[in-house]
Amino acid sequence: MKICIFNGGRLGVVENGYVLDVTGVMHKLPVAKYPYPKFDAFISSLPELLPAITEACGKASRLSLSDVRLECPVQNPGKVIAAPVNYQAHLEEAIADTATFARAHVRVIQETGLFLKANSSLVGPSDKVCIVDPERRTDHELELVAVIGKRAKNVSKAEALDYVAGYSVGLDMTIRGPEERSLRKSPDTYTVLGPWLVTADEIPDPQVLDMMLSVNGDVRQEVNTKDMIMKVAELIEFSSRFYTLEPGDLLYTGTPEGVGPVTPGDVIECNVECIGTLRVEIE
Ligand code: MN
């Protein structure tokens, strides 16, 4: 099932170019009292809500996908985890380009580990990416994103995929330079997620997906997720040794080769097989 958030927090199911409005199901969410849980309440409740969502589709109003405003499909993730340099060919392009990539950041993922992006940087496809400093190079990074479905701590890679609620397409927008990743990759709007969440049952193996990114129609990044150095299951195993993973936590799995700068006015399109196309404008 393809689940979207649209038009100001409405809940939709995407089918054949239409959005079925199933917002009524949201009243089944548990009412939270302060202090609120530090995870996404909708993703946490998704397994229990799925039968009601399926039933609601039968009598839902339908809107054309082209007429709706698609928003970030996970509205309140507790954290945004990201993998640096997780494709060999991207590591090699970073090693080769000493003018762009600070030496301290060009190491294999097993040495670098993971990093966090600020939740405040997260937007959906209908928002725009706003360049914060036009004097500096800001790059696109196409990434497959796994959305955690249930609490995970010290899980093994053999069971890791059981903890995934679904997958989405991500852009890890990045200012190049010497600062910490958590600063350069966390300005407002620098984390894009969409166009929707595809539930994990539709993607039994996340390591066989073709991915492609274009800027103004020119293809810049093209890869298959089989080329990841640390696979999705290994990333979950690794990250859950350090963090307790919670429902709705986002795991950006790293970008392939072909990263490059964007400027205001550009349009980025990202396609991941079995998910769909995320389109976002640069401002
Ligand atoms: Mn990245």
Side-chain angles (χ1 to χ4, degrees):
M1 185 179 284
K2 296 179 173 65
I3 298 170
C4 71
I5 303 291
F6 71 102
N7 291 2
R10 303 193 71 78
L11 179 67
V13 173
V14 179
E15 275 183 12
N16 303 321
Y18 288 91
V19 176
L20 311 181
D21 189 339
V22 295
T23 307
V25 172
M26 289 294 212
H27 79 269
K28 293 180 179 289
L29 284 180
V31 177
K33 286 187 182 156
Y34 183 84
Y36 302 119
K38 297 181 180 70
F39 54 78
D40 188 280
F42 173 71
I43 299 296
S44 174
S45 297
L46 186 56
E48 296 83 63
L49 292 178
L50 276 173
I53 292 173
T54 301
E55 189 185 337
C57 283
K59 42 187 183 274
S61 59
R62 299 162 69 90
L63 299 98
S64 176
L65 249 182
S66 54
D67 291 338
V68 305
R69 186 182 189 285
L70 287 171
E71 291 155 4
C72 181
V74 182
Q75 289 280 304
N76 292 301
K79 53 190 169 295
V80 181
I81 303 163
V85 206
N86 198 23
Y87 288 83
Q88 187 64 32
H90 174 51
L91 175 63
E92 285 161 12
E93 79 179 343
I95 289 170
D97 184 354
T98 53
T100 303
F101 295 87
R103 292 303 86 192
H105 302 312
V106 183
R107 289 186 299 166
V108 294
I109 183 170
Q110 291 88 344
E111 292 176 7
T112 307
L114 302 165
F115 64 96
L116 297 173
K117 284 169 72 89
N119 295 25
S120 51
S121 66
L122 190 62
V123 293
S126 296
D127 301 305
K128 289 178 179 166
V129 171
C130 301
I131 302 291
V132 289
D133 184 352
E135 303 294 310
R136 296 186 62 179
R137 174 170 155 168
T138 293
D139 280 12
H140 55 75
E141 291 194 357
L142 163 66
E143 311 202 2
L144 174 69
V145 179
V147 180
I148 299 298
K150 56 186 179 182
R151 183 167 292 173
K153 183 67 185 174
N154 292 322
V155 300
S156 70
K157 65 180 178 185
E159 58 183 353
L161 296 186
D162 296 342
Y163 291 82
V164 176
Y167 297 90
S168 190
V169 185
L171 271 171
D172 171 21
M173 300 302 296
T174 301
I175 300 171
R176 297 296 170 203
E179 302 99 328
E180 295 285 346
R181 284 186 172 87
S182 62
L183 184 72
R184 293 183 290 110
K185 292 167 172 279
S186 290
D188 292 353
T189 75
Y190 273 43
T191 307
V192 190
L193 189 73
W196 39 70
L197 170 79
V198 177
T199 51
D201 58 294
E202 295 192 10
I203 302 180
D205 183 357
Q207 306 303 154
V208 296
L209 306 175
D210 283 332
M211 306 202 297
M212 191 269 284
L213 175 145
S214 66
V215 178
N216 306 327
D218 296 333
V219 175
R220 299 270 187 90
Q221 296 186 279
E222 202 168 14
V223 79
N224 187 282
T225 54
K226 69 177 167 48
D227 291 338
M228 276 184 204
I229 296 170
M230 203 179 273
K231 312 298 188 201
V232 174
E234 292 170 290
L235 290 168
I236 291 170
E237 178 184 76
F238 183 65
S239 58
S240 78
R241 290 212 301 270
F242 291 84
Y243 316 120
T244 296
L245 306 183
E246 299 279 5
D249 282 1
L250 304 178
L251 178 58
Y252 280 64
T253 59
T255 199
E257 68 274 25
V259 300
V262 291
T263 52
D266 286 346
V267 176
I268 301 179
E269 285 195 343
C270 308
N271 182 268
V272 178
E273 188 180 3
C274 299
I275 301 177
T277 300
L278 165 69
R279 180 186 184 279
V280 71
E281 295 173 27
I282 309 295
E283 188 171 84

